[in-house]
Amino acid sequence: MSKPKYTIAVTGLNAIDSPGPGLAVIRALKDATSFDVRIIGLSYESLEPGVYMHEYVDKSYQIPYPTAGQDVLLARLEYIHSREELDFIFPNFDAELFNFISLKDKLNEVYGIKTVLPTLAQFEARHKVNLYQYGKLHNIKVPFAQMINSSLEISPIAGQLGFPIVVKGKYYDAKVAYTVAQATQHFNKISAEWGLPILIQEFVKGSEVNVCGIGDGEGNTLGAVPMRKLYITDKGKAWAGITLDDENLLKITRDLVKETKWKGPFELEFMKTDDDQYYLIEINPRFPAWCYLAVGAGQNQVEALVNLAMGNEVEPMTEYEVGKMFIRYSHDMIIDIKEFEQISTYGEL
């Protein structure tokens, strides 16, 4: 019996020192055994490496930045769909998810394009600025945090929390500060790149452990793989990590998915203290850039999510290999200037 072939669009094709999840998602799709794929890359910039990685991406289109709004995005997706007949879209950036969540019903009902995404209420509830209250609601330890719009607010908060403190951007970036001057410097840099507000968070000492998983929207965890970061870049991104045998962490994950009825992919970021306490520091409502480690450990969560959207039976994945590692690397890719000119001029390659 022949396998179905799906045309799947994927964003997040950048592969810089803070890489997007797109290429990891594509690798997982290429490894799928239950279907074949044709990959359509959706890029925001002409220098996103995935655009030129033709062994992974069959064709690429530029799409408007999220700030352009839903109507502009929808018009561009209509054009791409008219050319490619998309079956599924994987949005992989936090900043674009609001638009895609708002459009998901129309994309499905009018064009037949599937997505598996959290609801808008789920998306907003887990936002960094709401996470402290989110933890209280779901009985999960979360470091105290306060949203600010001016660097003048740092000193009184630091006086309350004590140093060090963590300075976080609305969407990305987090820096540890040991003085008010250092915190102000981080505030200015992060706000210039990602805008306001900025979050000042209590510092929790420990080792960072993360979970990559998926929920079916009915309270069931269809897959979950925990990982400890072994090497972290100056931007706080994992450059190497290893899968863990941590039943406590998995139980926290399953309980949270059950209580919130989370739908779609997620990454939970925790700090595990020396006395084995888990503090939730972030919920990312999409696959992380290290999600291919889950595939290597025996759970192709990306494949499962597509099958869920297509109405195929998906059994929860409960087993994975402990001690599987990933090590990220970079290399120089050589391309022809004509390809760069084409995507820059015509928005297609």
Side-chain angles (χ1 to χ4, degrees):
M1 184 175 178
S2 62
K3 294 184 290 185
K5 185 171 184 177
Y6 301 130
T7 299
I8 298 179
V10 181
T11 73
L13 305 181
N14 66 317
I16 55 174
D17 56 347
S18 180
L23 290 174
V25 168
I26 292 170
R27 290 181 71 192
L29 290 169
K30 293 285 189 179
D31 283 0
T33 58
S34 57
F35 55 78
D36 293 323
V37 291
R38 183 168 188 265
I39 300 297
I40 306 300
L42 303 179
S43 70
Y44 290 101
E45 297 181 355
S46 300
L47 286 175
E48 293 182 32
V51 171
Y52 308 99
M53 300 176 74
H54 304 305
E55 68 273 28
Y56 291 120
V57 179
D58 295 288
K59 186 165 183 180
S60 295
Y61 293 86
Q62 284 193 330
I63 58 174
Y65 284 103
T67 51
Q70 298 166 29
D71 292 341
V72 177
L73 173 62
L74 181 61
R76 183 59 172 163
L77 293 176
E78 285 176 340
Y79 168 76
I80 297 169
H81 182 62
S82 71
R83 302 284 300 274
E84 306 296 343
E85 297 185 6
L86 303 177
D87 295 301
F88 191 97
I89 297 179
F90 270 109
N92 290 305
F93 286 133
D94 293 10
E96 67 186 355
L97 282 175
F98 178 84
N99 287 342
F100 276 99
I101 291 171
S102 300
L103 292 172
K104 66 179 181 179
D105 290 338
K106 188 168 187 177
L107 288 173
N108 182 29
E109 293 165 7
V110 178
Y111 305 100
I113 304 173
K114 308 291 186 184
T115 56
V116 182
L117 298 168
T119 66
L120 197 55
Q122 289 172 332
F123 176 73
E124 294 292 345
R126 43 74 14 206
H127 204 285
K128 292 178 186 180
V129 298
N130 301 322
L131 192 61
Y132 184 66
Q133 295 302 321
Y134 188 90
K136 282 187 173 182
L137 179 64
H138 299 295
N139 197 30
I140 297 177
K141 292 183 176 68
V142 175
F144 176 80
Q146 187 168 327
M147 180 177 64
I148 64 172
N149 287 285
S150 168
S151 60
L152 298 176
E153 300 175 73
I154 293 174
S155 185
I157 298 174
Q160 177 187 348
L161 297 178
F163 284 105
I165 57 176
V166 183
V167 184
K168 285 189 168 184
K170 183 177 180 180
Y171 294 114
Y172 303 103
D173 219 341
K175 302 286 186 183
V176 178
Y178 294 87
T179 65
V180 171
Q182 194 175 37
T184 301
Q185 183 180 14
H186 293 332
F187 175 96
N188 292 334
K189 185 176 185 299
I190 295 173
S191 62
E193 187 168 2
W194 300 111
L196 296 170
I198 294 294
L199 208 66
I200 304 298
Q201 190 175 67
E202 175 188 2
F203 178 82
V204 176
K205 184 180 180 181
S207 59
E208 187 172 342
V209 290
N210 298 352
V211 180
C212 175
I214 51 175
D216 68 352
E218 302 295 329
N220 301 305
T221 301
L222 298 179
V225 174
M227 176 272 289
R228 178 168 62 87
K229 293 181 178 181
L230 295 177
Y231 186 85
I232 302 173
T233 69
D234 59 353
K235 290 192 175 182
K237 300 301 178 181
W239 211 252
I242 186 169
T243 57
L244 300 173
D245 180 10
D246 194 328
E247 186 54 40
N248 289 334
L249 188 56
L250 289 172
K251 184 181 185 305
I252 293 171
T253 299
R254 289 191 294 263
D255 289 347
L256 184 61
V257 171
K258 182 177 181 180
E259 188 169 339
T260 62
K261 292 183 169 54
W262 184 269
K263 187 172 185 180
F266 60 83
E267 179 191 26
L268 304 181
E269 299 185 13
F270 291 88
M271 290 300 294
K272 182 180 179 181
T273 64
D274 293 338
D275 57 351
D276 291 335
Q277 299 295 311
Y278 296 85
Y279 285 82
L280 180 64
I281 56 175
E282 204 161 307
I283 301 177
N284 295 314
R286 36 78 185 166
F287 281 116
W290 60 271
C291 67
Y292 192 70
L293 176 63
V295 181
Q299 291 190 14
N300 195 330
Q301 299 173 8
V302 175
E303 178 182 8
L305 211 62
V306 173
N307 281 320
L308 181 68
M310 298 305 172
N312 303 324
E313 184 177 354
V314 179
E315 293 291 332
M317 296 172 285
T318 58
E319 303 294 326
Y320 63 92
E321 290 187 62
V322 175
K324 282 289 185 180
M325 293 176 57
F326 82 91
I327 302 175
R328 192 165 287 151
Y329 68 96
S330 59
H331 71 276
D332 297 334
M333 178 171 54
I334 309 302
I335 68 166
D336 196 295
I337 187 63
K338 293 178 181 178
E339 290 191 317
F340 176 76
E341 290 172 345
Q342 183 172 334
I343 189 72
S344 299
T345 305
Y346 300 106
E348 299 180 26
L349 179 61

